[in-house]
C-alpha cells in the first residue's frame, strides 16, 4: 500500500495532538474489540463488518477502503498470510489460527494505524513464541525511539532481536509516518538496518512503528488477488504496530488502548 511520499506532519498545536489522540483511540479500541469478537466458526468477512461498524459509530473512515479501494474495512490476515488479507465469507476461523488484524482510519483529517497478531483460542500449532517475539521486539524498539535517534539503528535492533530468538524479519514491509494521511515521510522505518539511511526520528512527529517477524521468509510477495501478501519462503509472519508521538524522552503511545501488550 505505497503511495507518493507526503511530507511529514509535525504537531505544532494542541488541536493537532487532540486530533491524533482521538483517531488513535478509535483505531486502538476497534482493534481490541475485534480481537475479542473473533470466534471459531466466524468468517473474516463477519469480523471485518463488525470492525467497520465500530469505525462508523465513531464517525471514522477506514483508511484502506477510502484510500486504496481495499475490499474491506480492515486487513485480516490468517495463518500463512503476512499482511493485507482480504476479508472473505469463505475464510472461516478455526481454533489455533494465527490471525493478524490491522486497523487504520481517518477522523477529522487525522489518520492513525495499528495492528496485532494473536492466536484464536488454544495454541495448537505453537505460534505463541512468534507472537511473543513480535510484541517484545516492538516494545523494545519503541522504547529506543526519541528525537535524533537514527531510523536505521531501530531497524538494526529489530533484526538483531529477531535473530536472537531464532526468527527472521520481512525486509520489504515498513513502519511509516502517519498523521495527515496514512503514509507520510519517513516511509522507510524498516525491520533491518540500511546503513545508507541517515534519517533520524524527529520530535513532535507521529509515526507508525511495526514489526514483521517471520519463521522462514525475508520478503513479502503479493498474491494474484492484488492485495494479500505472503512470505517468499513460506512459514508464518506476525505483526504488531503502534502509532506513537516522538518526544525528546520516551514516546507517547497514542494507540495504547489496543491492549496488544496485555
Amino acid at each position: 500500500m505505497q503511495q507518493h511520499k507526503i511530507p511529514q506532519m509535525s504537531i505544532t498545536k494542541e488541536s493537532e495532538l487532540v486530533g491524533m489522540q482521538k483517531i488513535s483511540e478509535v483505531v486502538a479500541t476497534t482493534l481490541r474489540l475485534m480481537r475479542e469478537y473473533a470466534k471459531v466458526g466466524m468468517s473474516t468477512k463477519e469480523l471485518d463488518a463488525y470492525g467497520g461498524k465500530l469505525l462508523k459509530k465513531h464517525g471514522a473512515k477506514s483508511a484502506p477502503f477510502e484510500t486504496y479501494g481495499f475490499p474491506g474495512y480492515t486487513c485480516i490476515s490468517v495463518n500463512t498470510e503476512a499482511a493485507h488479507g482480504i476479508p472473505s465469507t469463505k475464510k472461516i476461523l478455526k481454533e489455533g489460527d494465527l490471525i493478524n488484524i490491522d486497523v487504520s482510519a481517518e477522523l477529522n483529517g487525522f489518520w492513525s494505524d495499528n495492528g496485532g497478531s494473536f492466536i484464536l483460542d488454544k495454541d495448537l500449532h505453537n505460534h505463541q513464541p512468534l507472537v511473543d517475539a513480535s510484541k517484545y521486539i516492538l516494545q523494545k524498539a519503541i522504547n529506543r525511539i526519541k528525537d535524533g535517534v537514527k531510523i536505521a539503528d531501530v531497524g538494526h535492533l529489530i533484526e538483531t532481536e529477531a535473530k536472537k530468538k531464532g526468527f527472521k524479519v520481512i525486509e520489504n514491509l515498513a513502519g511509516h509516518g502517519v498523521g495527515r494521511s496514512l503514509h507520510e515521510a519517513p516511509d522507510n522505518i524498516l525491520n533491518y538496518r540500511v546503513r545508507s539511511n541517515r534519517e533520524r526520528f524527529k520530535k513532535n512527529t507521529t509515526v507508525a512503528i511495526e514489526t514483521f517477524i517471520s519463521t522462514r521468509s525475508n520478503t513479502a510477495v503479493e498474491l494474484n488477488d492484488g492485495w494479500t501478501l505472503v512470505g517468499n519462503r513460506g512459514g508464518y509472519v506476525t505483526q504488531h504496530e503502534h502509532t506513537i508521538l516522538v518526544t525528546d524522552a520516551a514516546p507517547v503511545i497514542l494507540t495504547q488502548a489496543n491492549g496488544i501488550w496485555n
Side-chain angles (χ1 to χ4, degrees):
M1 289 194 187
Q2 284 308 312
Q3 60 185 143
H4 57 282
K5 214 169 178 179
I6 292 170
Q8 188 170 23
M9 178 183 84
S10 184
I11 295 210
T12 53
K13 46 186 191 273
E14 183 70 16
S15 60
E16 291 170 330
L17 180 58
V18 170
M20 283 305 291
Q21 284 169 329
K22 275 190 179 156
I23 183 55
S24 296
E25 180 80 18
V26 169
V27 295
T29 305
T30 300
L31 176 60
R32 181 175 59 78
L33 292 174
M34 283 179 75
R35 198 172 57 231
E36 289 166 8
Y37 190 74
K39 297 281 178 285
V40 172
M42 179 184 285
S43 75
T44 59
K45 187 83 172 166
E46 191 184 333
L47 181 56
D48 179 63
Y50 174 68
K53 223 186 299 184
L54 292 171
L55 292 174
K56 202 173 170 184
K57 191 179 91 176
H58 293 286
K61 288 179 174 163
S62 155
F65 184 76
E66 292 290 323
T67 313
Y68 303 104
F70 178 75
Y73 299 107
T74 64
C75 298
I76 305 175
S77 309
V78 182
N79 293 324
T80 54
E81 298 173 343
H84 302 168
I86 299 174
S88 165
T89 51
K90 296 189 182 76
K91 266 188 231 163
I92 305 299
L93 300 177
K94 299 185 293 298
E95 183 165 41
D97 274 352
L98 177 63
I99 303 168
N100 177 270
I101 303 175
D102 194 311
V103 183
S104 54
E106 176 271 332
L107 180 67
N108 302 327
F110 294 96
W111 304 69
S112 187
D113 195 355
N114 71 161
S117 295
F118 64 99
I119 297 150
L120 191 58
D121 294 349
K122 280 198 196 87
D123 182 19
L124 302 177
H125 313 291
N126 195 32
H127 292 312
Q128 198 63 51
L130 185 64
V131 171
D132 290 346
S134 177
K135 284 185 193 184
Y136 165 79
I137 294 167
L138 180 64
Q139 202 158 23
K140 204 158 177 173
I142 286 175
N143 288 341
R144 173 70 60 91
I145 295 170
K146 62 179 174 190
D147 185 48
V149 169
K150 270 193 195 161
I151 289 175
D153 289 351
V154 173
H156 182 61
L157 178 146
I158 294 171
E159 185 180 29
T160 306
E161 290 294 334
K163 274 186 187 152
K164 269 191 214 164
K165 295 185 178 297
F167 298 121
K168 297 174 174 12
V169 297
I170 300 291
E171 294 179 0
N172 63 332
L173 294 175
H176 49 90
V178 63
R180 284 300 191 177
S181 64
L182 182 60
H183 287 108
E184 297 180 347
D187 55 7
N188 57 352
I189 307 172
L190 293 156
N191 282 204
Y192 71 107
R193 170 153 59 191
V194 179
R195 286 183 189 280
S196 59
N197 182 9
R198 300 262 174 256
E199 264 191 283
R200 295 172 186 270
F201 288 100
K202 295 189 197 82
K203 185 179 169 172
N204 296 335
T205 59
T206 43
V207 289
I209 305 296
E210 39 191 328
T211 48
F212 293 96
I213 311 301
S214 112
T215 54
R216 277 193 227 156
S217 296
N218 61 4
T219 309
V221 293
E222 198 169 82
L223 296 184
N224 292 336
D225 63 22
W227 291 107
T228 311
L229 298 173
V230 298
N232 61 332
R233 300 192 186 128
Y236 297 91
V237 179
T238 49
Q239 179 258 18
H240 288 86
E241 174 183 25
H242 270 306
T243 289
I244 67 169
L245 170 68
V246 181
T247 72
D248 43 22
V252 178
I253 299 166
L254 297 171
T255 46
Q256 189 81 49
N258 64 24
I260 59 175
W261 286 336
N262 299 357

